[in-house]
Amino acid sequence: MKKIFAILAVAFIALTSAFAMDLSAIQGTWTDENYNADYTFTADGTITLSVGSEVIYTFDDSNIKDFKISTAGTNVTITFRCDETQRSYMFVKGLSLTTDLTLDIDRDWTDETYNVTIVMKKLF
């Protein structure tokens, strides 16, 4: 099982560092256990935030700005800003044997950054 996670981590980093990379190459669902909230990355390049079966918000080209996928050292980072939710989001995948991501959310109304490790629920 650890070999599968290692392969997924290496594939994730290789895919995201490829030239002309876009979000459609990253697919799966990660769970923020603090809120039982799921972040689903889909093939059409959207990120859906849901709680249970209720979709709370869908992030796509129409409502996000400053979208960037970058690599630094052994980390792959996805960042974007959503004015409608008054938040900036950062998803970070470090080189490890887990599929966990770190999620940082900067909210406009507070100086406190929400930081949590989100765990993979399913891979498409």
Side-chain angles (χ1 to χ4, degrees):
M1 189 64 129
K2 287 184 180 181
K3 287 182 183 180
I4 292 171
F5 290 131
I7 291 168
L8 287 173
V10 170
F12 185 81
I13 290 170
L15 285 172
T16 56
S17 62
F19 182 73
M21 170 60 193
D22 63 33
L23 192 58
S24 66
I26 304 167
Q27 297 180 50
T29 300
W30 283 262
T31 301
D32 175 348
E33 294 176 345
N34 292 335
Y35 292 97
N36 197 29
D38 292 332
Y39 290 87
T40 302
F41 294 75
T42 60
D44 64 2
T46 63
I47 302 171
T48 303
L49 170 61
S50 59
V51 175
S53 61
E54 181 183 355
V55 173
I56 304 300
Y57 202 83
T58 300
F59 302 97
D60 59 28
D61 289 339
S62 70
N63 56 24
I64 65 171
K65 64 181 184 180
D66 302 329
F67 177 83
K68 184 167 59 168
I69 298 176
S70 59
T71 58
T74 60
N75 290 338
V76 176
T77 304
I78 299 169
T79 57
F80 60 89
R81 166 85 188 148
C82 179
D83 287 337
E84 290 178 26
T85 63
Q86 300 176 350
R87 294 170 174 89
S88 295
Y89 297 82
M90 179 170 59
F91 297 87
V92 179
K93 173 63 179 119
L95 182 61
S96 68
L97 295 179
T98 71
T99 55
D100 297 350
L101 301 176
T102 300
L103 170 61
D104 290 338
I105 303 175
D106 287 327
R107 300 161 292 188
D108 292 354
W109 61 91
T110 181
D111 291 335
E112 293 181 30
T113 300
Y114 178 71
N115 178 279
V116 66
T117 299
I118 56 177
V119 296
M120 179 170 268
K121 184 175 183 176
K122 67 180 176 179
L123 183 65
F124 298 120

